[in-house]
């Protein structure tokens, strides 16, 4: 049963690693394949670090990724805690279905909808205008672009993220709540002293996994919704790699930046796992 999935993982996750050799060559598609270019060592890594826009692109990536990870996890936990307190199962399932439905919609659909809604004459600016607020260029202003992307990502994913926490809550022994109630704990204290400690291991696990993706700020979302007017705050590593590699044919440079990003993510994941093991006595691997 594992043979087919193992083959798929090998084919799509490990065989393509041979392409990383491009990062250490002056690669030319007509120079004899992946290993036919002139070996230049770390030339393209130094070139990437020397680019005047590179520090700003890294900063944009980290800011948006951290915002999405932190707020996404906080809202998912809060929503799961609130939903766990709902006694009506029909209402509970209905709300849960509505909130995690956006997860299954692609950013091509959501981006098209919100591009219209967030335009200067869109429904959101019309609503704000009833309170005397001047139109806000959410997708055309460097001041508003990053918060807009973070909020949209959190809205899209918090319902789906809450599923894991709700599943963890079902494993908490109900007798703990009864004991807490006998000791005089209300709902708030029951959540604080029983529910949160009961799902602490899941919170740590997801935090460790999310830290590994701290340089993944949402390629599809940004690519669909950004424009040259917001490159200063909206350009991230993935969109920069896309433009350099596929649009400008700078294959070696884009591969070097992609490898840099992957190495940083690996180091952050291992570090987070080590810290989680040391301070919370919980580890993933």
């Amino acid at each position: 049963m594992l043979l087919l999935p193992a083959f798929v993982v090998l084919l799509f996750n490990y065989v393509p690693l041979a392409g990383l050799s491009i990062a250490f060559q002056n690669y030319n598609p007509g120079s004899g394949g992946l290993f036919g270019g002139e070996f230049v060592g770390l030339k393209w890594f130094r070139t990437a670090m020397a680019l005047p826009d590179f520090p700003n692109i890294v900063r944009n990536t980290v800011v948006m990724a951290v915002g999405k990870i932190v707020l996404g996890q906080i809202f998912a936990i809060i929503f799961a805690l609130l939903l766990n307190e709902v006694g009506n199962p029909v209402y509970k399932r209905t709300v849960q279905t509505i909130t995690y439905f956006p997860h299954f919609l692609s950013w091509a659909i959501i981006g098209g909808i919100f591009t219209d809604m967030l335009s200067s004459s869109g429904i959101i600016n019309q609503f704000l205008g009833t309170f005397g607020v001047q139109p806000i260029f959410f997708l055309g202003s460097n001041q508003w672009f990053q918060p807009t992307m973070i909020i949209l990502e959190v809205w899209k994913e918090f319902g789906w993220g809450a599923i894991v926490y709700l599943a963890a809550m079902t494993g908490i022994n109900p007798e703990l709540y009864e004991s807490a109630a006998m000791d005089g704990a209300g709902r708030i204290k029951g959540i604080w002293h029983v529910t949160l400690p009961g799902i602490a291991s899941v919170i740590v696990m997801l935090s460790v996994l999310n830290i590994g993706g701290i340089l993944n700020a949402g390629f599809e979302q940004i690519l669909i919704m950004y424009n040259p007017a917001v490159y200063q705050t909206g350009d991230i590593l993935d969109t920069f790699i896309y433009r350099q590699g596929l649009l400008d044919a700078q294959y070696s440079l884009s591969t070097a930046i992609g490898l840099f990003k992957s190495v940083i993510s690996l180091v952050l994941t291992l570090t987070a796992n080590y810290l989680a093991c040391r301070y919370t006595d919980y580890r993933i691997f």
Side-chain angles (χ1 to χ4, degrees), residues 136-184:
I136 299 173
F137 298 98
F138 291 100
L139 302 181
S141 166
N142 283 306
Q143 178 183 0
W144 285 98
F145 186 79
Q146 288 185 356
T148 302
M149 294 299 100
I150 293 172
I151 292 172
L152 286 180
E153 176 77 17
V154 172
W155 166 82
K156 184 176 184 290
E157 299 295 340
F158 82 94
W160 179 258
I163 293 176
V164 179
Y165 299 112
L166 285 170
M169 291 175 192
T170 61
I172 299 175
N173 191 341
E175 294 180 358
L176 295 175
Y177 292 103
E178 296 174 3
S179 299
M182 291 179 63
D183 289 338

Side-chain angles (χ1 to χ4, degrees), residues 90-106:
V90 176
Y91 176 74
K92 182 177 181 179
R93 287 195 297 268
T94 302
V95 171
Q96 188 174 2
T97 301
I98 293 173
T99 52
Y100 72 58
F101 177 72
H103 169 80
F104 297 98
L105 299 178
S106 71

Side-chain angles (χ1 to χ4, degrees), residues 72-74 76-77 80-81 161-170 199 202-203 206-207 210:
Q73 192 157 2
I74 290 174
I77 293 171
L81 292 172
I163 293 176
V164 179
Y165 299 112
L166 285 170
M169 291 175 192
T170 61
I199 64 173
V202 176
I203 295 175
L206 293 179
S207 298
N210 287 333

Side-chain angles (χ1 to χ4, degrees), residues 50-111:
L51 292 173
D53 295 333
F54 190 74
N56 187 57
I57 292 172
V58 173
R59 181 168 56 252
N60 293 341
T61 304
V62 172
V63 168
M64 281 195 276
V66 169
K68 291 176 179 180
I69 290 172
V70 173
L71 291 181
Q73 192 157 2
I74 290 174
F75 274 84
I77 293 171
I78 293 174
F79 178 69
L81 292 172
L82 294 174
L83 203 58
N84 190 53
E85 297 297 317
V86 175
N88 188 324
V90 176
Y91 176 74
K92 182 177 181 179
R93 287 195 297 268
T94 302
V95 171
Q96 188 174 2
T97 301
I98 293 173
T99 52
Y100 72 58
F101 177 72
H103 169 80
F104 297 98
L105 299 178
S106 71
W107 276 111
I109 297 173
I110 294 178

